Amino acid sequence: MSSEPPRSRPVRHHDHGQWLGRFTDRVLVVCPRCGGRAVVLPLPHLENPKYFSSLSFQPGRLTCAGCGAITAWAAGERGGALAGVVPGGTKDSFVRQPLWLQTRCAGRILWAYNEEHVEALAAYVGAQLRERYASPTMAMFARLPAWMKSAQRRDEVLAGLATLGNLAQLSAPADRSDAAHERGGRPRHHGAALFRGGPY
């Protein structure tokens, strides 16, 4: 992640309506075996999806370069449809592991899926002027919590995002953030359905 000072960041941010699911093509998580950094990716033989929403249904797997752990994931079925995941929260929506990129910030937990997600959040938070997307219902930035959007919290949130950017470069179990641990929360495995001709 860039370490440029806040004053050199873009003054204006244009929200193009990106969905949070856009960043689920590569998710950094805590390895269930060694506690180091693992990554969740779609299976390598699959073509890039035409729509980012398809990422919620594509089979994938967790792999850890540190210990060799592998965990597979595939969408279940519900009423003749594939039951996909709903992104969001401090756990990966596919294999339900804590996200690697988590840190304590402003009395909350600040999290991201990967470096690109961190950069997108930093560009938004650091901007002095923010132009909203015309239809913000599912847009990621419109759904951010108020504390992340607050001008009074800008420097604090940017510092937290810089911490996440640094964490993305680390991978050993000892590098794990004290915020990246199991915590209670409602499972979000099957919040969407996809009707299609056959399985992936």
Side-chain angles (χ1 to χ4, degrees), residues 100-144:
W100 180 258
L101 299 183
Q102 297 189 62
T103 189
R104 302 184 190 281
C105 180
R108 284 95 164 173
I109 300 297
L110 180 65
W111 56 268
Y113 287 139
N114 54 43
E115 301 92 329
E116 187 180 2
H117 190 192
V118 174
E119 290 284 358
L121 290 172
Y124 175 83
V125 172
Q128 299 295 322
L129 298 173
R130 300 165 183 165
E131 294 189 0
R132 295 184 63 180
Y133 184 58
S135 178
T137 304
M138 294 299 294
M140 177 181 71
F141 296 119
R143 298 166 67 88
L144 290 176

Side-chain angles (χ1 to χ4, degrees), residues 32-120:
R33 180 190 293 174
C34 72
R37 187 192 70 192
V39 61
V40 178
L41 296 166
L43 294 182
H45 68 274
L46 299 176
E47 295 182 4
N48 291 331
K50 184 176 181 181
Y51 303 106
F52 290 121
S53 57
S54 298
L55 291 169
S56 297
F57 304 91
Q58 284 191 321
R61 66 186 176 201
L62 172 154
T63 58
C64 177
C67 70
I70 298 177
T71 300
W73 179 86
E77 294 188 11
R78 184 180 64 203
L82 293 178
V85 301
V86 175
T90 57
K91 281 187 177 181
D92 165 67
S93 300
F94 302 97
V95 297
R96 303 300 299 164
Q97 280 299 111
L99 299 178
W100 180 258
L101 299 183
Q102 297 189 62
T103 189
R104 302 184 190 281
C105 180
R108 284 95 164 173
I109 300 297
L110 180 65
W111 56 268
Y113 287 139
N114 54 43
E115 301 92 329
E116 187 180 2
H117 190 192
V118 174
E119 290 284 358

